[in-house]
Amino acid sequence: MINGIIFDMDGVLCDSEPFISEAAVRMFRETYGVAVQHADFLPFVGTGENRFIGGVAEKYGVSVQIERDKARVYAIYLEIIRGRLEPLPGVLTFVQSCRTRGLKLAVATSADRIKMDGNLAQIGLPVSSFDVVVTGSDIAKKKPDPEIFLTAAQRMGLPNSACLVIEDAVSGVKAGVAAGSPCLGITTSYPAEALREVGAKWTAPDLAHFPAGIL
């Protein structure tokens, strides 16, 4: 029986990847004079901003000052999402429905707290909408390691088997499965086949099409 929902953020609650890559492209251009491409960031989606920026830096042979450069990326990002970042279809209604059912809710994102706060505020889901939030700065090991989902379930006071993990990334589904949670794969970033291949029990295009019968 499902008693809690653990949401990944990017690709599940909102689609911030185009904006964070836009911000990072601008940072590389203004700080290092390097013209990186949006596609360069795709292999690092869902791994946290240190790897998101650092992985592309490695590709171009750039030695980044990660904390300084990440702060600049976030400053650009928080500016460009205003009035542009929206909740994905069904998100607000689904969260309210879960609240009505008395389910415990958590956000578990590899992103840093500043990005999570900015995203949730922009899409109309304040942090207070959730019982628990776990960010990249709360954990030592990033997805596909299960630490983030184990931490979220523990903080909610639930066994992982009673928590539905909702993820859009292959690494995130792998982490949820490794944590012992049933997983719903949202196909905003990867096709349904790829998510099922790594263990997603169900798939859906978004939370407006949440599969009947899971809860």
Side-chain angles (χ1 to χ4, degrees):
M1 181 174 176
I2 302 299
N3 295 310
I5 310 285
I6 305 176
F7 299 89
D8 176 43
M9 180 176 65
D10 293 314
V12 172
L13 300 178
C14 57
D15 184 12
S16 69
E17 297 304 342
F19 301 113
I20 196 69
S21 62
E22 179 184 337
V25 165
R26 281 177 52 182
M27 184 280 293
F28 274 103
R29 185 174 64 242
E30 70 179 32
T31 306
Y32 298 103
V34 175
V36 306
Q37 306 300 311
H38 289 273
D40 294 327
F41 295 95
L42 290 178
F44 309 108
V45 169
T47 60
E49 264 59 57
N50 284 31
R51 187 65 187 144
F52 189 77
I53 296 166
V56 173
E58 289 169 11
K59 177 177 179 178
Y60 285 85
V62 174
S63 285
V64 292
Q65 294 184 37
I66 192 62
E67 293 306 321
R68 181 200 69 184
D69 294 341
K70 186 168 62 169
R72 179 59 186 146
V73 169
Y74 282 142
I76 298 169
Y77 174 79
L78 294 174
E79 174 189 318
I80 64 179
I81 65 170
R82 288 183 198 147
R84 295 173 68 191
L85 184 67
E86 297 181 348
L88 286 169
V91 165
L92 301 182
T93 302
F94 181 75
V95 169
Q96 183 54 51
S97 172
C98 290
R99 276 273 172 235
T100 301
R101 288 172 174 264
L103 297 172
K104 290 189 175 181
L105 305 181
V107 173
T109 175
S110 298
D112 290 339
R113 180 75 191 227
I114 187 173
K115 183 184 180 191
M116 184 196 72
D117 286 343
N119 282 359
L120 294 182
Q122 186 65 38
I123 68 173
L125 268 182
V127 172
S128 59
S129 304
F130 301 93
D131 299 289
V132 166
V133 295
V134 184
T135 67
S137 54
D138 296 320
I139 56 170
K141 299 174 182 175
K142 300 293 194 287
K143 304 168 188 174
D145 189 275
E147 181 184 359
I148 194 166
F149 295 129
L150 294 171
T151 301
Q154 181 183 44
R155 291 183 181 179
M156 286 195 292
L158 296 173
N160 278 77
S161 59
C163 297
L164 174 70
V165 165
I166 305 182
E167 262 284 355
D168 70 303
V170 165
S171 62
V173 172
K174 286 181 177 178
V177 170
S181 294
C183 295
L184 166 65
I186 300 295
T187 57
T188 48
S189 302
Y190 292 86
E193 302 76 39
L195 298 174
R196 286 185 178 275
E197 191 173 293
V198 293
K201 194 170 181 181
W202 310 273
T203 58
D206 50 49
L207 290 176
H209 296 87
F210 186 81
I214 296 180
L215 301 180

